[in-house]
Amino acid sequence: MEYVRLELTLETPFLPGSADPNVVDPDWPLRPSEVKGIWRWWARALVAGVLFDRGLLHGQGSRNAVKVPARMEVNCVSKIVGRGLGLGYASSDGSMASCFRIRFERMNFNAPRNVDYGLTNRLQRVRLLTLGKRPAQLQYVDRGSVTMVIESHTACNLDNASIEAALYALALALRFSCFGKGGRRGLGCFSVRAYGRYSGIFDRGYGKPREPGELVESALNTVGKVVDSMVTKECRGLEGKGIGDCELSPIPIVSIKGDYTNCIDAGYREGVKSLGKLTPYKLIMIQGGRGMNLLDALHNFFLRPTRTRAIHGNYMTQDQLRQDLKAWILGLPREQRGTGYEIMGSASRRASPMLLAVHGNEAYLSVFTSADWPSTLRWRGAGSRQLQINEKEVINATAIALSEFMEYLRKSNIQGVRAWP
């Protein structure tokens, strides 16, 4: 059974890999497995967000992290994503294959191109990928499209609410995430046009996208029904209790019910007043002006010299993230040539909690505030300093980063900005 047919059109440079990570696979630039991975990531964030809102997800401290989910919480999220949403579950207490198959019916990508100095000068992530070697050793794709069909895989007997919940997770993944290297920074983004029985989940018809906030709310409401129907059966032993005012989830979640604004130190609070409340999931929607290269402007915010040049007029100026040693919030490791932030513990990295997606003249920044950060970092620069990270530090660092992002947009003459919720 076919649930929905999606026409995906590439809108930003796409840097996939193959057996050689620097070379594009000419047959499968975009792989069903990569789509499924990001689909499952958003499904977990939605399910975990509902559990957090219900007071059923709290996590626990660990030696190497501020908080991690308890084993019982991990099992609960996995069971609801795997069995309730039908995305597949593997465990000794009963496995279930995914109820959905991703089939690529038509794939039409331009031949891979070698990265040139023009692209490396434009985009910080591409420049990082080519450090120490000639740009021509890295390939990318500049144009392409694919017809992706989502259809039933096995006889799972999913009800309509479960199918809709799973497809809402996919709709968020395709709208607010991108693919390949630099996918968190707006590279490898695809526009979507949907056809078929469940096309209304993805757009309003004729290729017109749904309003972003309404899409997220619909996803949470639909997933919430599945979670509520399964939690008593699949999550026995979880203790429901109230959520603390400044309590963070142990993993990234899609939740808009909390408010961390009063948890921000007074000195950092002023900069985020224009955003309204700071929720566990915050969405910033950006509309670019005519003739503006929105990808370049937003992608390079995460490079400190570009950021400080726009905000302070001098690329050598130390911004507040650098002054207060909180630039780790943009992702770890953030080190180069023996300086920067070093994780003290077993973790090797922590991906950025800020996901940028660019679709032509519109862009979205998804910001996840959660406690899954290393508890101890070491700063190496002009001297060395050990940093202790806790939930309060995560909230403050997120507030500074958002404040600088909004100031960066203003100084870059990007006026069409809305924050949700």
Side-chain angles (χ1 to χ4, degrees), residues 14 71 79 82 178 184 186 210 226 281 286 312 323 371 379-380 403 420:
F14 180 31
R71 182 183 296 273
K79 287 178 180 179
C178 305
R184 285 177 176 256
R210 293 178 59 172
V226 177
Y281 173 74
I286 304 130
H312 302 289
Q323 289 175 352
W379 162 257
R380 295 173 299 167
S403 175
W420 183 89

Side-chain angles (χ1 to χ4, degrees), residues 7 46 65 69 101 116 122 181 214 231 243 245 277 373:
E7 297 286 347
L46 284 164
R101 176 165 55 197
D116 57 23
R122 280 177 49 204
K181 295 182 281 291
E214 185 268 333
V231 70
I243 304 170
D245 290 340
K277 61 183 181 178
W373 287 92

Side-chain angles (χ1 to χ4, degrees), residues 312-327:
H312 302 289
N314 187 337
Y315 74 91
M316 297 183 67
T317 302
Q318 291 189 359
D319 61 343
Q320 194 166 32
L321 284 171
R322 169 61 182 86
Q323 289 175 352
D324 295 356
L325 297 183
K326 288 185 170 57

Side-chain angles (χ1 to χ4, degrees), residues 69-98:
R71 182 183 296 273
M72 195 174 296
E73 294 169 342
V74 172
N75 291 338
C76 176
V77 173
S78 296
K79 287 178 180 179
I80 296 175
V81 170
R83 294 174 177 170
L85 273 63
L87 292 177
Y89 178 73
S91 175
S92 58
D93 65 351
S95 298
M96 188 180 96
S98 174

